[in-house]
Amino acid sequence: MRKLFFFSNNKNKIIEIKKIFNKFNLEILSSNDLNISEEPEESGQTFEENAKIKSDYGFYKTGIPCFADDSGICIESLDWKPGVLSKRFLNNFKSIEACFESIIRSTKKNSKRNAYFKTSISLSVKDGQNVIFNGQIDGKISGQAKGRFGFGYDPIFIPKNYNKTLAELSTKDKNEISHRSIAVTKLINFLIN
Ligand code: IMP
């Protein structure tokens, strides 16, 4: 079975990715499986740049073909931010609940509820050479945080044509529609072909 390194320490992302890859003849190794705890600085200005920084780093460290994702939420009422700064934005609040409240307040104040999640996946197979796969899911910010599945901003994001937040969907159902699964499916099609 061929090995592929998914450069991430995010347990939830690893669960989502391993589930998507389940039916393919590829062994997915995470940073934890390879005892790699250090991460490069995500100094890029775009999801694509940050994903490449991480996948190049993982490939350089192990010599195993490596992919990494960089993801985040872009919110209309925040001028489509925080984007690449999604993790830092959340960590700047004293709690996740305070962050959600602040976002929900801004969507109500501006009457702008649109939002989207984006994932860029970079695959590095040779020094300095990479391929990018993007995925996006459109939706809106909910009136209140709901649900206990998923992670990050899932409890306040309602996908288009749904009436539940991503955190109210099981991992399986989230994987049917998510930004990450769209990008991963493109990666898998590339690997198969
Ligand atoms: P990164 O790709 O690990 O840098 O992710 C940045 C941040 O975006 C995460 O820490 C989460 O807060 C948020 N994020 C990324 N993907 C998702 C998702 O699928 N659901 C909810 N939040 C996400």
Side-chain angles (χ1 to χ4, degrees):
M1 191 186 286
R2 280 173 60 192
K3 287 187 168 71
L4 203 53
F5 175 19
F6 175 47
F7 184 83
S8 177
N9 278 311
N10 180 322
K11 276 191 210 131
N12 293 289
K13 276 190 189 177
I14 294 164
I15 291 170
E16 285 182 16
I17 294 281
K18 284 194 172 176
K19 274 207 169 143
I20 299 170
F21 268 92
N22 241 347
K23 41 185 182 303
F24 298 92
N25 198 27
L26 280 167
E27 185 184 356
I28 300 297
L29 301 166
S30 67
S31 303
N32 192 32
D33 296 328
L34 295 169
N35 282 324
I36 294 178
S37 53
E38 66 276 27
E39 293 190 350
E41 192 193 340
E42 295 180 24
S43 54
Q45 302 292 312
T46 63
F47 294 114
E48 287 87 349
E49 283 169 14
N50 280 338
K52 175 172 165 39
I53 289 171
K54 290 188 263 189
S55 68
D56 279 353
Y57 184 84
F59 178 70
Y60 164 77
K61 279 273 172 187
T62 62
I64 301 172
C66 177
F67 70 100
D69 88 319
D70 197 58
S71 328
I73 191 166
C74 303
I75 300 170
E76 186 184 17
S77 65
L78 301 178
D79 289 331
W80 300 107
K81 293 189 179 87
V84 288
L85 300 176
S86 292
K87 194 170 171 178
R88 277 165 263 185
F89 183 81
L90 200 60
N91 291 340
N92 281 341
F93 287 86
K94 66 176 191 307
S95 65
I96 194 161
E97 290 79 17
C99 175
F100 290 166
E101 267 172 37
S102 163
I103 292 171
I104 291 168
R105 214 178 311 118
S106 90
T107 61
K108 288 184 177 159
K109 193 170 140 211
N110 297 319
S111 300
K112 288 179 178 170
R113 293 184 64 191
N114 292 327
Y116 64 90
F117 275 110
K118 181 174 170 184
T119 290
S120 292
I121 288 181
S122 167
L123 171 70
S124 297
V125 284
K126 280 190 188 158
D127 277 332
Q129 286 185 28
N130 78 311
V131 193
I132 294 281
F133 308 89
N134 286 321
Q136 182 171 325
I137 177 175
D138 295 319
K140 62 186 180 195
I141 300 297
S142 66
Q144 62 185 105
K146 276 190 193 165
R148 58 189 178 87
F149 298 117
F151 67 101
Y153 297 86
D154 283 344
I156 57 163
F157 183 83
I158 301 178
K160 196 173 167 186
N161 300 326
Y162 278 69
N163 54 14
K164 286 179 176 177
T165 68
L166 275 183
E168 291 179 287
L169 301 180
S170 64
T171 302
K172 183 172 170 290
D173 289 344
K174 180 180 172 184
N175 273 346
E176 303 265 320
I177 55 168
S178 82
H179 48 308
R180 190 163 298 103
S181 72
I182 293 168
V184 173
T185 304
K186 290 179 186 172
L187 165 68
I188 289 171
N189 285 336
F190 175 85
L191 292 168
I192 289 173
N193 294 319

